[in-house]
Amino acid sequence: MVDVKELKQNIDRLNKATTAASKRKSYLLAEKSVEAIESEFEVINKEIVSKKDELIKLRKENLSLQQDYSILESRVKDIINEKLEVEKKLEMLSRTRSELSSTNLVKAFSDSLGEMETSLKSSSSRVNYSISSMNVKLKTNIAMDGNDLRFQLPKADDLIPADNLSEVEFTISSSSKEPELSSLEDVPDVVGFELGNALAAIKEAGFKQGEIVEKESDLSQGTVLSQIPSGSSVAKSGDAVDLVVSKITSIEVPDVVGNTLATAKKSLGDVGLSLGKVTEEVNSLKAGTVIGQSVEAGIYADIGAAIDLVVASSKSEFAAVSGRKVVNPTTSKSAVASITGTAARISPTGKSLSRKKL
């Protein structure tokens, strides 16, 4: 370390020097001392900065360790609490020894046998199973409670040797299950049928409609492509028959003339059509009654097509004042000739097609 005292002495010599040469010499000595002090100060300053960085790092590590310690401390407390709970439960279990009366013991085995018998006779199996014998070897403490015989079971904390464990032996035998042919019916073959006719045939044979899946096909829409169960097979009466049909793209327009607007809208929605433009026209029928539709009933329109409706107007007095002719509801269908959305077409079979979206 540079001696500050030496620096002071050089400054004193500089102040006392009388000649230029001595002053010059003293000045150089003082300047050299100052440079040495500045250099040493810079080194010390760098060390201080480095120490500060280390201190910040140590503080961060200390904070992390404190957090880890807090987490571990909390976990230790949880484990201690769990240990206390387990000890309490063990203490409660060790206070009493479970007992079974002879009646309860026999009933327990009887109930178990009944459950096993029910499980073995499941209708999903094609084989009948039954328990032909069951040998039980029960090792337990026997005690008397008055005139009642009690079987004492081991406590939770008892150490039971392997040779003291109960042994249960039973034998299961199998026999072929006789098919119940009286409850089976022939499944009709509806492949190639139009959907409506197929569903009618299925219902007539005593079965019900199952899942209907649409599939792209070159056949006309609604034609049955396949079925499960297959045709000419047998199934229980009332079982569902699933069908795969060619994709349905058009639907028969229902007759909504004479209905209220709300009822007509629901009828269109139920078959996959939508309500289009609604206009009012003076008519002798009750206001809001549908008196005309843009697509006649029985015509086939693309699914989702909008059907325009004409409803009776609530302004009945307008006809008397203007002299306008009242529209006859029976002729109003032909008065509205446009189809909203897309052109309609008639099914090749001329029959209604029902459709289920999956």
Side-chain angles (χ1 to χ4, degrees):
M1 182 176 179
V2 177
D3 192 353
V4 179
K5 184 176 180 180
E6 182 179 351
L7 175 60
K8 291 180 178 180
Q9 290 177 352
N10 292 333
I11 293 173
D12 289 340
R13 291 193 192 97
L14 178 61
N15 292 331
K16 293 177 180 179
T18 55
T19 63
S22 61
K23 286 183 178 183
R24 177 68 178 172
K25 182 178 180 182
S26 298
Y27 175 79
L28 291 174
L29 291 172
E31 184 179 30
K32 186 175 181 181
S33 298
V34 170
E35 289 177 353
I37 292 174
E38 288 178 345
S39 177
E40 188 172 352
F41 176 78
E42 185 177 356
V43 172
I44 293 173
N45 191 46
K46 288 181 179 180
E47 290 180 356
I48 291 173
V49 172
S50 176
K51 296 296 182 183
K52 285 183 178 179
D53 292 340
E54 290 181 3
L55 180 61
I56 292 173
K57 184 178 179 181
L58 289 173
R59 285 177 178 173
K60 289 181 179 179
E61 291 178 355
N62 182 52
L63 180 61
S64 177
L65 289 173
Q66 287 179 349
Q67 292 175 345
D68 292 342
Y69 176 78
S70 177
I71 294 172
L72 290 173
E73 186 178 24
S74 175
R75 180 57 183 154
V76 169
K77 289 181 180 179
D78 292 341
I79 292 174
I80 291 174
N81 292 333
E82 291 175 3
K83 178 176 177 292
L84 292 175
E85 290 294 328
V86 172
E87 289 177 348
K88 287 181 181 178
K89 290 180 180 179
L90 289 175
E91 182 181 358
M92 292 179 63
L93 289 172
S94 62
R95 290 177 182 174
T96 58
R97 185 184 293 272
S98 301
E99 291 184 348
L100 279 177
S101 65
S102 56
T103 302
N104 289 338
L105 181 65
V106 173
K107 184 178 184 301
F109 280 105
S110 176
D111 291 343
S112 297
L113 288 171
E115 292 177 1
M116 294 171 68
E117 189 79 17
T118 301
S119 177
L120 291 172
K121 290 183 177 180
S122 172
S123 59
S124 61
S125 173
R126 296 187 180 274
V127 178
N128 280 328
Y129 293 95
S130 62
I131 300 176
S132 62
S133 62
M134 185 172 183
N135 301 323
V136 180
K137 295 180 181 179
L138 180 65
K139 295 183 179 180
T140 178
N141 294 325
I142 298 177
M144 295 297 297
D145 183 8
N147 294 327
D148 295 332
L149 183 64
R150 298 286 177 175
F151 299 94
Q152 293 182 339
L153 303 179
K155 296 188 298 182
D157 55 347
D158 281 350
L159 297 177
I160 305 174
D163 56 354
N164 288 343
L165 294 176
S166 300
E167 299 178 3
V168 179
E169 300 177 0
F170 57 90
T171 303
I172 297 178
S173 60
S174 63
S175 60
S176 298
K177 179 184 291 186
E178 293 295 333
E180 299 176 0
L181 297 177
S182 59
S183 63
L184 301 180
E185 299 289 346
D186 291 332
V187 179
D189 187 356
V190 296
V191 174
F193 283 29
E194 179 269 331
L195 180 58
N197 295 334
L199 294 178
I202 289 171
K203 184 177 180 181
E204 185 179 355
F207 300 97
K208 64 181 180 180
Q209 174 184 329
E211 185 178 16
I212 299 178
V213 179
E214 294 182 12
K215 184 179 179 181
E216 295 288 348
S217 172
D218 294 334
L219 299 178
S220 53
Q221 66 170 8
T223 301
V224 177
L225 304 177
S226 62
Q227 65 181 84
I228 298 176
S230 61
S232 301
S233 62
V234 291
K236 287 185 179 180
S237 179
D239 281 356
V241 179
D242 299 333
L243 302 177
V244 177
V245 300
S246 56
K247 191 171 184 180
I248 300 173
T249 58
S250 62
I251 201 73
E252 184 180 5
V253 178
D255 186 0
V256 296
V257 173
N259 295 333
T260 64
L261 182 59
T263 303
K265 181 179 180 180
K266 183 178 184 302
S267 297
L268 293 173
D270 289 343
V271 297
L273 300 173
S274 62
L275 177 62
K277 183 180 179 181
V278 179
T279 57
E280 291 185 354
E281 189 170 312
V282 177
N283 192 277
S284 60
L285 294 178
K286 184 179 179 181
T289 303
V290 178
I291 59 176
Q293 58 189 78
S294 62
V295 183
E296 292 185 12
I299 299 297
Y300 278 74
D302 285 352
I303 292 175
I307 307 299
D308 296 340
L309 300 179
V310 180
V311 298
S313 173
S314 60
K315 300 176 181 179
S316 57
E317 72 279 6
F318 178 74
V321 175
S322 63
R324 183 174 181 180
K325 189 175 182 180
V326 176
V327 178
N328 188 326
T330 61
T331 60
S332 59
K333 293 181 183 179
S334 59
V336 186
S338 63
I339 298 175
T340 303
T342 182
R345 64 176 179 270
I346 300 176
S347 168
T349 61
K351 295 186 178 181
S352 173
L353 294 179
S354 60
R355 180 175 185 268
K356 177 183 177 183
K357 292 182 180 179
L358 301 177

